[in-house]
Amino acid sequence: MSTRAQFTSKLGFILSSAGAAVGLGAIWKFPYMAGTNGGSTFIIPYILFCFTIGMFLLLAELVVGRAGRAASINSMIRVGRSRFWGLFGFIGTLTGFLILTFYSTVGGWCVAYAVDAALGNGIITDVKQLGSYFGKFVSDPVSCIGYQLIFMLMTAGVVIFGVQKGIERLSKYLMPTLFILMLVLIVRGLTLPGAWAGVEFMFSLDWEHFNADSVFNAMGFCFFSLSVGAGTLIVYASYLSEADNLPQSTAWVAFLGILAALLGGLMVMPPVFAFGLEPTAGPGLTFVTMPAVFAHMPFGQFFAVLFYICLIVAAITSSVSILEAVTAALGDLKIPRRTAVPIAFTAIMAIGVFCSLSFGPLADVKFFGKTIFDLLDYLTSNVGMPFAALGLAIVAAWVNWPTTRHQLTTAKVLSPMMLTCIRVGIGVVSPAVIIIVVMRSL
């Protein structure tokens, strides 16, 4: 087997993996999900799922990746000892590829709004006017595709430098920067009069909202927030030293993912409530409500720039991990990195432009009642990621448990009971939960 690049440190791997998991959802989706699902009655199950099911599946990805020493497809074939299991690796790689086609659209919006904030544009108090501003922007194909291209060039610029000089170096600087910027914005937001209502909106323990829906939503967001099933952590783990403790690294990745989501909520909700604005979900919260917040706030332009830099950092650490997964898959076909990155970049942009056009000229083009953007979002979240994770769990727990056991104990001996618990968690509990989530979502 040829010499494979490796992370130079455990910290580099953990920050890179956390960057893969921490994306835009931590900032715009988690606050709304928590607030509309009963606050702590959503947050507590979400944390429990992350530290159980989420960790089991993350652990399976790390085991398969480090044992396989290849991208998702070849790692699944090597560990599963059959080309059949490579199908699940292919599903994971394809899922990541398709995610980046529409994720890059939103990444482009973040770049556009950061530029606007730096120029002092778009800082308007009227939410309706901001809504029209956002609608006009996303329906303009030239602007949207242009900024999407810039975002993808930034992503490709990191990946082309490889593991140590590109991905690891970026993560070591950007992940601490992200958390520092979030803390600055949280402190500023909490000092605003009326901001505490936003904290109560997120963290109040409302047992009336504790039902099957809130639990399923917490479970679904756990998968979403940890990016399980997109093949990214399999690739990152393939660059990991045998001396690293996989259970410990997994716990750190899950912890940082949860921390980013909680900080994202504290960054967004207090200022939204302080100015009596509506905490709507998705793009509306990020690109309509938040500019109005900054327009009300002293030194609003400065904090707007910080906010959109946070979004870009969160977006690019995730997009880098996905592009690396696709690039690594091409690398397994003996395609050099400097050729593989442009190939992956071109293919992603070729489909990505249709995602950008879904809000403009192609807004009326729908399949099964969904725009191209929404259809790819639905298929990757509800079909691709769960099926890839299901195959991963079966391979790690049942098809080749001896390899999994060896990978779990290379750095530290685990008791037979602990190993049994991990095996049941990966091979029984996780598949059952995945099937339930898929059946419910479909």
Side-chain angles (χ1 to χ4, degrees):
M1 195 180 297
S2 60
T3 303
R4 192 167 181 81
Q6 287 196 352
F7 287 104
T8 60
S9 67
K10 180 180 177 180
L11 177 64
F13 168 74
I14 289 172
L15 291 177
S16 299
S17 300
V22 175
L24 290 172
I27 296 175
W28 62 255
K29 192 170 184 178
F30 177 79
Y32 174 82
M33 291 287 288
T36 55
N37 284 279
S40 291
T41 53
F42 169 86
I43 292 173
I44 292 172
Y46 162 68
I47 292 174
L48 289 175
F49 283 131
C50 283
F51 279 130
T52 51
I53 307 300
M55 275 189 60
F56 288 139
L57 291 172
L58 286 177
L59 198 53
E61 289 213 20
L62 299 193
V63 163
V64 170
R66 191 167 71 174
R69 292 293 178 197
S72 187
I73 300 170
N74 278 0
S75 283
M76 287 290 284
I77 291 172
R78 289 172 183 173
V79 179
R81 296 173 296 196
S82 167
R83 298 195 69 82
F84 169 77
W85 297 108
L87 173 64
F88 290 90
F90 174 77
I91 291 172
T93 304
L94 179 62
T95 296
F97 172 86
L98 293 176
I99 286 173
L100 196 48
T101 62
F102 64 84
Y103 195 82
S104 58
T105 299
V106 185
W109 297 350
C110 296
V111 175
Y113 269 67
V115 172
D116 262 4
L119 296 174
N121 302 328
I123 309 296
I124 305 165
T125 57
D126 186 352
V127 176
K128 289 184 179 179
Q129 191 177 344
L130 281 166
S132 299
Y133 182 88
F134 177 70
K136 184 179 179 182
F137 165 68
V138 296
S139 61
D140 178 2
V142 176
S143 294
C144 274
I145 293 172
Y147 279 110
Q148 181 184 26
L149 181 63
I150 291 171
F151 178 79
M152 280 302 300
L153 285 171
M154 292 165 63
T155 302
V158 175
V159 175
I160 204 163
F161 282 104
V163 178
Q164 297 175 6
K165 294 181 180 179
I167 298 167
E168 185 172 4
R169 183 176 294 175
L170 174 93
S171 301
K172 282 184 174 179
Y173 287 106
L174 286 196
M175 288 308 293
T177 300
L178 174 63
F179 286 112
I180 291 169
L181 290 177
M182 291 174 87
L183 288 172
V184 170
L185 288 164
I186 287 168
V187 171
R188 182 65 190 98
L190 289 174
T191 59
L192 298 168
W196 196 250
V199 179
E200 293 177 344
F201 177 77
M202 273 187 56
F203 294 105
S204 59
L205 195 61
D206 185 357
W207 289 108
E208 290 184 5
H209 282 83
F210 186 71
N211 52 39
D213 281 344
S214 66
V215 172
F216 279 123
N217 286 334
M219 195 185 303
F221 188 75
C222 165
F223 289 171
F224 175 87
S225 66
L226 295 179
S227 298
V228 172
T232 53
L233 290 189
I234 290 181
V235 173
Y236 278 7
S238 73
Y239 306 134
L240 190 60
S241 165
E242 289 289 334
D244 285 302
N245 186 320
L246 292 190
Q248 189 180 79
S249 296
T250 303
W252 271 109
V253 173
F255 170 75
L256 291 174
I258 293 168
L259 179 63
L262 293 175
L263 292 179
L266 288 172
M267 181 174 71
V268 170
M269 283 305 171
V272 167
F273 275 80
F275 295 114
L277 299 171
E278 184 63 31
T280 53
L285 178 59
T286 306
F287 302 106
V288 177
T289 306
M290 290 306 292
V293 166
F294 298 124
H296 285 92
M297 190 185 291
F299 305 104
Q301 182 180 352
F302 171 74
F303 289 106
V305 172
L306 288 189
F307 177 76
Y308 287 109
I309 288 175
C310 274
L311 287 181
I312 292 171
V313 171
I316 205 165
T317 52
S318 291
S319 65
V320 161
S321 70
I322 297 171
L323 185 58
E324 175 61 19
V326 178
T327 299
L330 294 174
D332 284 351
L333 299 175
K334 308 302 181 185
I335 300 174
R337 178 175 290 270
R338 290 191 175 274
T339 304
V341 172
I343 290 173
F345 170 89
T346 303
I348 288 165
M349 279 301 301
I351 299 176
V353 294
F354 292 101
C355 295
S356 285
L357 294 174
S358 294
F359 298 87
L362 299 182
D364 295 327
V365 176
K366 296 186 178 180
F367 301 91
F368 308 104
K370 298 180 184 295
T371 63
I372 297 170
F373 183 103
D374 291 334
L375 180 65
L376 291 177
D377 185 10
Y378 179 82
L379 289 175
T380 53
S381 298
N382 297 289
V383 181
M385 293 174 75
F387 272 95
L390 185 62
L392 188 75
I394 294 170
V395 166
W398 303 113
V399 176
N400 196 347
W401 172 249
T403 292
T404 300
R405 184 177 58 219
H406 171 73
Q407 288 294 325
L408 293 174
T409 56
T410 55
K412 183 179 179 181
V413 176
L414 299 178
S415 68
M417 180 173 288
M418 178 62 71
L419 287 169
T420 300
C421 288
I422 292 173
R423 188 177 190 183
V424 170
I426 294 174
V428 178
V429 180
S430 297
V433 169
I434 290 169
I435 291 169
I436 291 170
V437 170
V438 170
M439 293 295 291
R440 180 179 178 274
S441 63
L442 294 178

